[in-house]
């Protein structure tokens, strides 16, 4: 295992000790529980989470400043919520001094770039109190999710209870108990194209990153990466927010996370290289070289 | 204490908002002036008539080519300064002065405003309107490390400044359209929303998960594209965000 998992101080398998959170959560309820704890302790005074948008299963960035508001948002939507678009507004309209934000690896990259190169993010850099990153293989535009659920799975979006990607399949759970699984082969072509040059699977730049991969059902794998992340995580553990198991003792464990991370990075690195000779002596732009 | 660098603020056709942004670093600015930089030139701030020799020139505003003194001064700036930094949208890209066509009282014939880079070579860009105080601060600290730091610090400063130097090489035109041309059309957009957050005039919304720029509102400051994680993303620097943030905070103590 090398650089594919990023820098981290600690890795465990964990789940929330709050029954209510677990009931609504995608897996171990890590994001919701950690934000809840941080809100209650005043470590953050609001969090940019993915709230409910105008259409069913369409997320939009939502600033939760209370636990009640936060509790309306658990779960994964598998389509894009422009989380970073609210990062300056959170410190202005909402007057937050300590901002929490949850996002995908690319959104964590955007946050950290924004802290080091704040071109249009006045007075934001020192107000990011807790950035939680999720594991992400790729994301989907809303229209793609609609197409997958309504055309391929034959269900109305409004009657879907849960979506999940796991065990090599895209799962759609209906409100009446029906379950449709689509092979990932079907979903691949609907992925957001921008994801195909992404070289981060486990949110290397978050304070704390989490995802289901590596842990048993109902649990999440957690990486604690930064000083801030470590501080908050250890306080949360001290307060009894999480049940944890050493990652070495769970199946499928860290090896699985590493395997998927390497798969993503290798595949996308290849895409980056192919873009360099995409046309006839004409390259597509590579953001990792220059603007 | 190590030797300080010399810095000047050169005021072309701008609104002084960039200078205010520099000043908005408050105590941070005092620390910079105390420890790292002597202000050797600056309208209202330094009692110096002619542009002196200096390490770093922070240029604000675009250049009115009908104004002989501006043209002469910007050329002189290039001669006298080791490093020229275009601070703010006007100096980098023209920004709202791109919409100028003369006719204003007193000097109605002053109608053509060019980004600094159209007349002289610019080394570093700090886009945005107004540019962010913290980015100006970071560039000042890095410029100091580049000129006076240890070998390691110089290496870091070079890496940090590289994308801002590449932005300067990239050209003198910016627009919300860049998000389409160089990000969405290139298959690179990830819909994160950085552009919308950075836009000072709230011209950017998201449609189909991608930015939608209201071009009537866009002032051509260049903030959206520069803020986008898919305009540039330098792993060697951003991955070290914790250490670099510590370094900058430490430098300003």
């Amino acid at each position: 295992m090398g650089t594919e998992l990023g820098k981290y101080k600690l890795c465990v398998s964990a789940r929330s000790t709050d029954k209510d959170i677990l009931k609504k959560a995608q897996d171990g309820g890590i994001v919701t529980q950690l934000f809840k704890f941080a809100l209650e302790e005043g470590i953050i005074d609001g969090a940019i989470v993915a709230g409910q948008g105008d259409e069913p299963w369409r997320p939009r960035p939502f600033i939760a400043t209370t636990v009640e508001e936060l509790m309306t948002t658990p779960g994964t939507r598998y389509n894009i919520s422009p989380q970073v678009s609210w990062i300056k507004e959170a410190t202005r309209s909402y007057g937050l001094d300590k901002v929490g934000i949850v996002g995908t690896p690319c959104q964590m990259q955007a946050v950290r770039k924004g802290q080091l190169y704040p071109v249009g993010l006045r007075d934001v850099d020192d107000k990011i109190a807790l950035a939680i990153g999720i594991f992400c293989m790729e994301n989907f535009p809303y229209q793609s999710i609609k197409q997958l659920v309504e055309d391929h799975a034959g269900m109305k979006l409004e009657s879907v209870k849960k979506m999940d990607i796991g065990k090599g399949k895209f799962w759609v759970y209906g409100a009446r108990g029906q379950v449709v699984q689509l092979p990932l082969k079907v979903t691949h072509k609907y992925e957001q194209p921008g994801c195909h040059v992404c070289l981060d699977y486990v949110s290397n730049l978050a304070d704390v990153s989490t995802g289901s991969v590596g842990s048993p059902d109902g649990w999440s794998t957690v990486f604690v990466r930064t000083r801030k992340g470590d501080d908050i995580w250890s306080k949360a553990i001290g307060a009894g927010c999480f049940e944890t198991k050493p990652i070495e003792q769970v199946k499928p464990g860290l090896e699985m996370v590493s395997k998927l991370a390497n798969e993503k990075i290798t595949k996308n690195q290849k895409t980056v290289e192919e873009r360099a000779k995409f046309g006839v002596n004409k390259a597509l732009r590579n953001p990792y070289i220059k603007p | 204490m190590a030797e300080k660098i010399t810095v000047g603020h050169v005021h072309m056709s701008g609104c002084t908002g960039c200078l205010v942004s520099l000043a908005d670093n408050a105590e941070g600015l005092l620390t910079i002036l105390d420890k790292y930089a002597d202000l050797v030139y600056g309208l209202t701030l330094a009692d110096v008539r002619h542009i002196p020799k200096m390490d770093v020139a922070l240029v604000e505003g675009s250049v009115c080519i009908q104004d002989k003194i501006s043209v002469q001064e910007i050329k002189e700036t290039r001669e006298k300064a080791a490093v020229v930094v275009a601070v703010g949208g006007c100096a980098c890209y023209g920004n709202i002065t791109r919409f100028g066509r003369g006719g204003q009282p007193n000097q109605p014939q002053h109608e053509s405003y060019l980004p600094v880079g159209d007349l002289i070579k610019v080394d570093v860009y700090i886009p945005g309107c107004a540019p962010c105080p913290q980015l100006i601060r970071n560039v000042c600290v890095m410029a100091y490390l580049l000129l006076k730091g240890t070998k390691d610090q110089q290496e870091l400063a070079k890496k940090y400044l590289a994308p801002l130097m590449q932005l300067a090489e990239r050209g003198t035109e910016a627009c919300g359209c860049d998000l389409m041309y160089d990000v969405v059309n290139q298959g690179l957009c990830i819909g994160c929303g950085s552009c919308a957050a950075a836009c000072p005039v709230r011209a950017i919304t998201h449609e189909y998960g991608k930015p939608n720029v209201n071009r009537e509102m866009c002032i051509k400051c260049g903030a959206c594209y520069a803020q986008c994680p898919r305009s540039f993303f330098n792993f060697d620097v951003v991955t070290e965000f914790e250490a670099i943030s510590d370094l900058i905070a430490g430098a300003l103590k």
Side-chain angles (χ1 to χ4, degrees):
Chain A
M1 281 178 270
T3 55
E4 74 278 7
L5 302 179
K7 289 188 223 170
Y8 60 93
K9 297 180 191 296
L10 169 80
C11 179
V12 290
S13 189
R15 70 175 179 191
S16 166
T17 48
D18 184 323
K19 293 252 157 54
D20 199 34
I21 289 180
L22 281 183
K23 226 187 300 169
K24 294 181 182 170
Q26 189 73 14
D27 300 291
I30 307 298
V31 180
T32 310
Q33 175 69 73
L34 205 53
F35 276 151
K36 179 175 182 246
F37 173 74
L39 271 174
E40 286 170 345
E41 294 299 308
I43 295 167
I44 58 172
D45 34 38
I48 306 173
V49 292
Q52 181 57 50
D54 299 334
E55 295 158 273
W57 288 91
R58 178 167 207 150
R60 68 170 175 92
F62 170 73
I63 297 181
T65 53
T66 64
V67 173
E68 291 70 38
E69 285 173 344
L70 180 71
M71 289 307 292
T72 63
T73 64
T76 306
R77 307 316 186 286
Y78 293 106
N79 67 103
I80 299 154
S81 177
Q83 295 295 88
V84 188
S85 63
W86 278 86
I87 206 159
K88 187 163 70 179
E89 214 52 40
T91 67
R92 298 194 164 193
S93 306
Y94 288 77
L96 307 183
D97 288 328
K98 292 169 279 180
V99 182
I101 182 167
V102 56
T104 53
C106 59
Q107 293 175 338
M108 293 298 116
Q109 292 181 343
V111 169
R112 299 317 184 188
K113 176 179 169 180
Q115 287 179 284
L116 288 183
Y117 297 96
V119 183
L121 300 176
R122 190 189 187 97
D123 299 343
V124 171
D125 66 338
D126 58 350
K127 296 196 173 73
I128 309 298
L130 175 58
I132 306 182
I134 53 179
F135 299 178
C136 178
M137 197 52 104
E138 67 274 314
N139 205 343
F140 297 95
Y142 181 70
Q143 280 67 21
S144 289
I145 280 295
K146 195 169 168 135
Q147 193 136 342
L148 281 169
V149 170
E150 303 203 335
D151 294 0
H152 289 271
M155 275 153 82
K156 292 299 276 182
L157 264 177
E158 53 264 40
S159 66
V160 172
K161 197 175 69 183
K162 183 173 178 168
M163 295 185 210
D164 200 13
I165 293 179
K167 304 185 177 69
K169 294 203 165 52
F170 181 73
W171 303 79
V172 189
Y173 298 87
R176 284 182 287 118
Q178 72 275 45
V179 183
V180 180
Q181 40 168 291
L182 302 171
L184 291 184
K185 219 174 112 191
V186 173
T187 66
H188 284 322
K189 74 169 177 182
Y190 295 109
E191 292 159 10
Q192 165 169 262
C195 298
H196 296 151
V197 298
C198 172
L199 305 175
D200 184 350
Y201 174 57
V202 283
S203 283
N204 293 352
L205 302 186
D207 291 312
V208 174
S209 51
T210 185
S212 67
V213 173
S215 289
D217 285 352
W219 291 69
S220 298
T221 303
V222 176
F223 291 99
V224 178
R225 300 187 179 280
T226 61
R227 274 200 318 273
K228 269 182 192 167
D230 195 27
D231 183 45
I232 296 170
W233 181 258
S234 49
K235 282 179 185 156
I237 293 290
C241 291
F242 296 103
E243 210 182 320
T244 66
K245 290 180 188 171
I247 193 73
E248 299 76 24
Q249 289 172 24
V250 301
K251 293 274 173 215
L254 212 48
E255 256 168 60
M256 183 58 124
V257 189
S258 251
K259 178 171 167 279
L260 292 187
N262 278 323
E263 271 176 29
K264 171 174 177 176
I265 294 164
T266 308
K267 179 168 66 95
N268 291 352
Q269 190 69 58
K270 209 172 137 226
T271 308
V272 172
E273 284 156 22
E274 282 165 2
R275 287 172 59 95
K277 40 184 177 18
F278 197 84
V280 180
N281 298 324
K282 297 273 184 186
L284 295 179
R285 218 173 62 71
N286 181 344
Y288 306 130
I289 295 178
K290 64 175 186 180
Chain B
M1 189 182 300
E3 209 183 329
K4 287 195 208 174
I5 58 171
T6 50
V7 176
H9 175 260
V10 179
H11 207 309
M12 293 283 128
S13 295
C15 70
T16 320
C18 302
L19 183 62
V20 172
S21 262
L22 171 69
D24 278 346
N25 278 298
E27 317 86 273
L29 176 66
L30 297 179
T31 311
I32 289 173
L33 293 177
D34 197 29
K35 290 191 183 169
Y36 309 112
D38 277 326
L39 190 72
V40 294
Y41 183 75
L43 190 81
T44 74
L45 293 178
D47 188 17
V48 179
R49 190 58 78 85
H50 297 289
I51 294 175
K53 210 169 154 10
M54 55 188 143
D55 293 322
V56 180
L58 303 172
V59 182
E60 161 172 5
S62 56
V63 187
C64 176
I65 59 172
Q66 282 89 27
D67 179 33
K68 286 204 178 90
I69 295 176
S70 295
V71 175
Q72 187 193 323
E73 283 192 344
I74 200 65
K75 288 182 183 168
E76 224 177 304
T77 302
R78 183 65 277 182
E79 279 168 30
K80 300 281 180 64
V83 179
V84 174
V85 183
V87 183
C90 296
C92 297
Y93 300 117
N95 199 34
I96 52 161
T97 67
R98 284 285 192 193
F99 301 87
R101 46 172 72 80
Q104 67 277 12
N106 195 333
Q107 302 290 339
Q109 79 286 7
H110 283 184
E111 63 175 29
S112 315
Y113 299 84
L114 286 179
V116 176
D118 282 350
L119 297 178
I120 62 167
K121 184 184 175 292
V122 176
D123 303 300
V124 176
Y125 265 21
I126 303 181
C129 180
C132 180
Q134 293 81 22
L135 184 55
I136 303 177
R137 174 200 68 195
N138 293 359
V139 169
C140 286
V141 171
M142 290 297 172
Y144 172 80
L145 294 180
L146 184 70
L147 297 172
K148 307 283 179 190
T150 64
K151 213 166 174 203
D152 286 351
Q153 289 170 331
Q154 285 178 353
E155 282 309 308
L156 171 68
K158 260 184 222 162
K159 283 194 291 187
Y160 178 89
L161 294 170
L164 302 177
M165 297 174 76
Q166 289 162 341
L167 278 177
E169 278 165 24
R170 182 173 169 269
T172 56
E173 285 179 31
C175 175
C177 299
D178 296 347
L179 297 173
M180 291 307 294
Y181 298 156
D182 283 353
V183 186
V184 178
N185 292 169
Q186 286 281 331
L188 291 171
C189 180
I190 29 110
C192 68
S194 293
C195 49
C199 179
V201 294
R202 303 185 192 192
I204 304 173
T205 53
H206 279 71
E207 297 294 334
Y208 297 108
K210 302 285 182 280
N212 185 45
V213 180
N214 181 336
R215 284 177 298 167
E216 286 292 298
M217 286 166 76
C218 172
I219 55 170
K220 303 184 189 291
C221 71
C224 55
Y225 182 67
Q227 195 67 74
C228 171
R230 291 292 172 81
S231 63
F232 70 84
F233 191 85
N234 43 351
F235 281 102
D236 53 348
V237 172
V238 186
T239 307
E240 301 300 324
F241 67 94
E242 210 179 7
I244 296 175
S245 302
D246 286 350
L247 173 81
I248 292 170
L252 291 173
K253 261 191 192 138

